[in-house]
Amino acid sequence: MGADIKSLRSRIRSVDSTLHLTKAMGLVAASKIRRATRTMSQSREYASAMDDVVSVLSSSPECARTPYMQPKGEGTRLIVIAGDRGLAGGYNANVFRLASTVENAEVIPIGKRACERWGKPVISSEKYPATEAAKLAEELCRDFQDGKFGKLGILYTRYRSMMSQEATLLWVLPLEKKEKETETAEAAPVFEPNEQTVLNAAVPTYISGLLTACIRESYACEVAARRMAMDSAGKNAQEMIDKLQLQYNRARQNSITQEITEIVAGSGM
């Protein structure tokens, strides 16, 4: 009986230590959520504005001849954005599961977990600067025009709410021609010197902004997923402590009862 009480006491201390850890990590994640979501919203707005410009340009007949709409090469390059840490529920697992569905892709990982999975130098997703996104976009555009690959995708996690985040695959290149909306002559934009020249110059900036937005959104999802995972883990730990405490109290009560019984029996002899 004494061994059971000692074992239960040890388990309670262990689970209580885990509870304190999950609470601390949950508080850290909560402190980062507001800033992460604000940065995500700003990046979304920029990417949306650039997408509107590229959509207008790609709908022009003149831009049909641009190399960004007529790929020379074959093969796929896939930018995979994952987290820097674990303990975020299924956040990283969902990204890797979706990445496995893209066959024969050359992966460009961003985030420590993704870099470790594909054996590449570690690049942090939390601290990924916009300047690096611009360099990567320039390199990808140059390789695409040179025919080194024919398709570019970004695999990131889309933020829907604190409770819901979804791994998403976004195909970026080649550009798709979008139906041009009916416009009046006064509202139709005029590009100088011409639409194709402007589009060729805008695409690297567009991809850079889109990549930055996807990284910021993925990071916001990671923080939100970790907050929810730590809350769930904390609740489970507390429930386990309550059950163990009940078992511990019963074991002590039984032990005390047994000792009293032995004392009474011994005194009567």
Side-chain angles (χ1 to χ4, degrees), residues 48-109:
S48 178
M50 287 299 302
D51 185 64
D52 291 341
V53 173
V54 172
S55 295
V56 172
L57 288 166
S58 61
S59 65
S60 170
E62 184 176 347
C63 290
R65 298 188 298 273
T66 180
Y68 291 116
M69 300 186 74
Q70 295 181 348
K72 300 177 182 178
E74 297 180 354
T76 302
R77 286 191 185 178
L78 185 65
I79 301 173
V80 178
I81 305 169
D84 290 338
R85 304 174 186 86
L87 299 177
Y91 172 78
N92 290 312
N94 292 335
V95 171
F96 298 150
R97 189 180 300 111
L98 183 56
S100 66
T101 64
V102 184
E103 298 181 355
N104 302 320
E106 180 183 349
V107 175
I108 302 172

Side-chain angles (χ1 to χ4, degrees), residues 101-159:
T101 64
V102 184
E103 298 181 355
N104 302 320
E106 180 183 349
V107 175
I108 302 172
I110 296 176
K112 294 179 182 179
R113 294 292 181 180
C115 294
E116 291 170 358
R117 182 180 179 87
W118 278 280
K120 299 293 181 67
V122 173
I123 300 174
S124 172
S125 59
E126 179 180 355
K127 301 178 181 179
Y128 194 83
T131 52
E132 289 298 320
K135 290 180 182 179
L136 179 58
E138 289 284 352
E139 179 184 348
L140 290 170
C141 289
R142 185 168 54 252
D143 289 350
F144 185 81
Q145 292 187 71
D146 292 343
K148 294 183 179 180
F149 67 97
K151 200 173 184 181
L152 173 65
I154 300 177
L155 202 166
Y156 72 109
T157 305
R158 183 168 180 78
Y159 185 95

Side-chain angles (χ1 to χ4, degrees), residues 11-12 15-16 19 22-23 231-247:
R11 288 186 64 190
I12 290 172
V15 177
D16 186 63
L19 176 61
T22 57
K23 283 184 176 179
D231 284 351
S232 178
K235 291 177 182 177
N236 292 337
Q238 187 60 59
E239 290 178 2
M240 186 177 293
I241 288 175
D242 293 341
K243 291 179 181 179
L244 290 171
Q245 189 67 50
L246 182 60
Q247 294 177 23

Side-chain angles (χ1 to χ4, degrees), residues 13-29 87 226-227 229-231 233-235 237 241:
R13 284 199 298 265
S14 176
V15 177
D16 186 63
S17 176
T18 302
L19 176 61
H20 282 79
L21 176 63
T22 57
K23 283 184 176 179
M25 293 189 68
L27 290 173
V28 171
L87 299 177
R226 182 169 293 111
R227 169 65 188 278
M230 291 302 99
D231 284 351
K235 291 177 182 177
I241 288 175

